[in-house]
Amino acid sequence: MKEILEERKQILERFNITEPIASIEPFGNGHINDTLKVTNTRGETRYVLQRINHHIFTNVDMLQNNIQTVTSRIREKLEAAGATDIDRKVLRFLPTKDGKSYYFDGENYWRLSLFIPRSESFDEVTPELSYAAGKAFGNFQAMLSDLPEDALGETIPNFHNMPFRLAQLHEAIQANVAGRLEEVKDLIQEIERRAEAMCVQELLYKEGKLRKRVNHCDTKVNNLLFDTDTHEALCVIDLDTVMPGFVLSDIGDFIRTAGNTGAEDDPDLNRVGVNLEIFQAYTRGYMETAQSFLTPLEIRLLPYGGRLLTYMQTVRFLTDYIQGDTYYKISYPRHNLVRARAQFQLLRSLEAHAQEMDHFMEPWL
Ligand code: ADP
Ligand code: GN1
Ligand code: MG
């Protein structure tokens, strides 16, 4: 235990920190990076130390540049709007002693940000919190909407490109390296049946009917911090995937995570389904801050966004399962398959409620 702490402290020493540190402990439940919280000897959590997964984010310089661009733009906008308490509303990353935005220890890449005090994130939300989240994510997109087109790189190329994700699934099926194909044939069939309908965005883009915007691309409900006392939405975090993409990604991932009555990896499929109240509250909040820049087509497609991102996640979890679990962190051997089946169950529920959800968009059309 002591040795691990010493090792972590040595990493921290590369950054400009002088106060005495008591603990550096794992934090959060992300599937990609490793997140640690840094607490001082007075018991105050002060920093968040993250080990970047450089197998997935292969261009760490691009990644950190993106984050720098995004956080400084949001900071500018908040300052211009006369906001107070800005370090709780946008992440602040701390440079290393030699002025870099990350530290490379010869094997791993590390970055450090200020911990936002009196804040919390949730895996489940009430309609009130969902409404606040909608406003916050819409506002996030609005604040970044005037970034020049080449301001951000694609940190993971083709990240939310549905035809590309299907091609990856097909490659995994062909190779069948882990010999797991037989037990997932039913799921593959269901995926194939929906493939064409789920690749509509890329077609609309080619036809010039849909544009790309700066998106967060990972709007899981726990990537938003709320004020512990007032429950106002404070700060959008986990900025690794902020990049140009389709606007449906961001409403989609929120519905997929917050608008699910079960867990993302629920082994009990009876618990999984769409929570329409959460969808409605989120949409109301989102439309308040995003209506000004959305096109009527984008507005009409918002419920489709929920289905699309849930479908995409089914494909991604299943692909990883077939490939032998090389991408997502897993907690037990069939975890990725359980995740894929739970996501598919949610998709079916979203499909069953598609008309109602489409109808809900009418006031804005
Ligand atoms: P991951 O890649 O593990 O999802 P996140 O950046 O989302 O990493 O952080 C994981 C969790 O840690 C978040 O859900 C949030 O609860 C907490 N967290 C992250 N950054 C901060 C911060 N700057 N201040 C307070 N809490 C944070
Ligand atoms: C990953 O790191 P985390 O847990 O916030 C993934 C998302 C998926 C999500 C599924 C870079 O997000 O795209 O939607 O898991 N991030 C990356 O829970 O692949
Ligand atoms: Mg996260």
Side-chain angles (χ1 to χ4, degrees):
M1 243 357 240
K2 233 179 144 191
E3 280 162 25
I4 295 181
L5 180 62
E6 279 318 308
E7 255 175 51
R8 290 174 180 163
K9 274 188 174 171
Q10 278 178 16
I11 295 160
L12 213 58
E13 268 170 23
R14 302 302 176 129
F15 294 86
N16 244 326
I17 292 186
T18 47
E19 63 188 306
I21 298 303
S23 71
I24 307 176
E25 300 287 336
F27 191 35
N29 49 9
H31 301 339
I32 307 295
N33 297 315
D34 291 322
T35 305
L36 303 157
K37 63 176 175 176
V38 180
T39 305
N40 66 18
T41 45
R42 286 202 303 269
E44 299 155 336
T45 299
R46 298 279 288 131
Y47 308 100
V48 174
L49 178 66
Q50 265 185 333
R51 183 171 70 164
I52 301 168
N53 186 330
H54 64 275
H55 302 291
I56 289 178
F57 297 103
T58 49
N59 188 341
V60 176
D61 283 305
M62 179 203 274
L63 176 74
Q64 293 299 101
N65 275 335
N66 272 8
I67 292 180
Q68 183 58 38
T69 305
V70 167
T71 51
S72 21
R73 174 54 61 114
I74 294 178
R75 199 167 285 277
E76 269 166 41
K77 293 276 165 104
L78 289 172
E79 277 164 3
T84 53
D85 222 5
I86 290 182
D87 273 343
R88 297 180 72 227
K89 295 179 180 158
V90 58
L91 289 179
R92 183 187 284 283
F93 287 86
L94 305 180
T96 60
K97 282 179 179 152
D98 51 11
K100 288 197 76 170
S101 64
Y102 60 84
Y103 163 58
F104 180 55
D105 67 10
E107 198 177 334
N108 289 300
Y109 295 82
W110 299 88
R111 68 183 168 208
L112 189 72
S113 58
L114 283 184
F115 178 82
I116 298 182
R118 288 170 289 112
S119 73
E120 59 191 310
S121 68
F122 301 98
D123 285 309
E124 281 172 48
V125 285
T126 58
E128 289 73 30
L129 290 174
S130 181
Y131 170 76
K135 280 212 298 197
F137 280 123
N139 196 32
F140 178 84
Q141 285 177 336
M143 286 193 285
L144 299 176
S145 60
D146 54 1
L147 273 181
E149 257 190 34
D150 56 354
L152 301 178
E154 259 192 272
T155 48
I156 301 181
N158 294 310
F159 188 50
H160 279 179
N161 178 327
M162 198 59 244
F164 175 79
R165 293 297 182 187
L166 282 167
Q168 283 185 321
L169 173 65
H170 295 151
E171 271 172 39
I173 293 173
Q174 283 296 319
N176 191 18
V177 288
R180 294 175 169 177
L181 213 49
E182 208 45 48
E183 61 179 321
V184 298
K185 283 213 155 134
D186 60 319
L187 204 46
I188 294 176
Q189 239 176 23
E190 296 284 2
I191 287 170
E192 294 306 345
R193 273 182 47 207
R194 292 162 173 83
E196 204 181 316
M198 289 298 162
C199 293
V200 159
Q201 285 193 118
E202 287 75 14
L203 278 183
L204 290 169
Y205 179 68
K206 270 191 203 142
E207 291 168 4
K209 291 180 184 153
L210 200 60
R211 50 168 292 183
K212 292 197 181 182
R213 305 178 181 283
V214 172
N215 269 350
H216 184 278
C217 289
D218 189 10
T219 51
K220 284 165 80 161
V221 50
N222 58 18
N223 284 333
L224 179 64
L225 297 181
F226 291 89
D227 187 302
T228 306
D229 306 320
T230 64
H231 277 182
E232 268 173 86
L234 262 185
C235 182
V236 174
I237 59 168
D238 211 344
L239 304 172
D240 296 325
T241 53
V242 180
M243 60 178 130
F246 299 119
V247 87
L248 303 188
S249 284
D250 282 7
I251 186 157
D253 247 353
F254 192 86
I255 297 170
R256 183 183 75 75
T257 52
N260 183 355
T261 51
E264 183 183 66
D265 58 352
D266 217 313
D268 181 356
L269 297 184
N270 292 319
R271 282 197 293 245
V272 175
V274 59
N275 180 335
L276 287 178
E277 255 194 293
I278 296 294
F279 158 74
Q280 290 167 353
Y282 183 86
T283 304
R284 268 192 222 107
Y286 182 68
M287 291 310 290
E288 264 184 43
T289 44
Q291 186 165 18
S292 60
F293 64 81
L294 293 177
T295 66
L297 177 65
E298 286 172 324
I299 297 174
R300 196 148 44 79
L301 286 174
L302 289 185
Y304 170 80
R307 299 200 291 284
L308 175 63
L309 269 287
T310 307
Y311 174 80
M312 191 182 300
Q313 203 56 60
T314 310
V315 171
R316 292 178 62 194
F317 284 145
L318 182 64
T319 304
D320 199 30
Y321 182 69
I322 297 173
Q323 269 171 342
D325 310 311
T326 58
Y327 188 90
Y328 295 106
K329 290 186 207 166
I330 53 167
S331 310
Y332 54 90
R334 296 156 85 86
H335 202 168
N336 272 320
L337 181 57
V338 170
R339 284 168 172 157
R341 291 206 183 276
Q343 291 295 290
F344 180 64
Q345 181 70 13
L346 176 63
L347 174 64
R348 296 209 347 196
S349 169
L350 286 163
E351 288 172 347
H353 291 93
Q355 268 192 341
E356 262 166 285
M357 292 169 77
D358 284 347
H359 183 67
F360 187 75
M361 300 313 300
E362 275 168 19
W364 293 284
L365 286 166

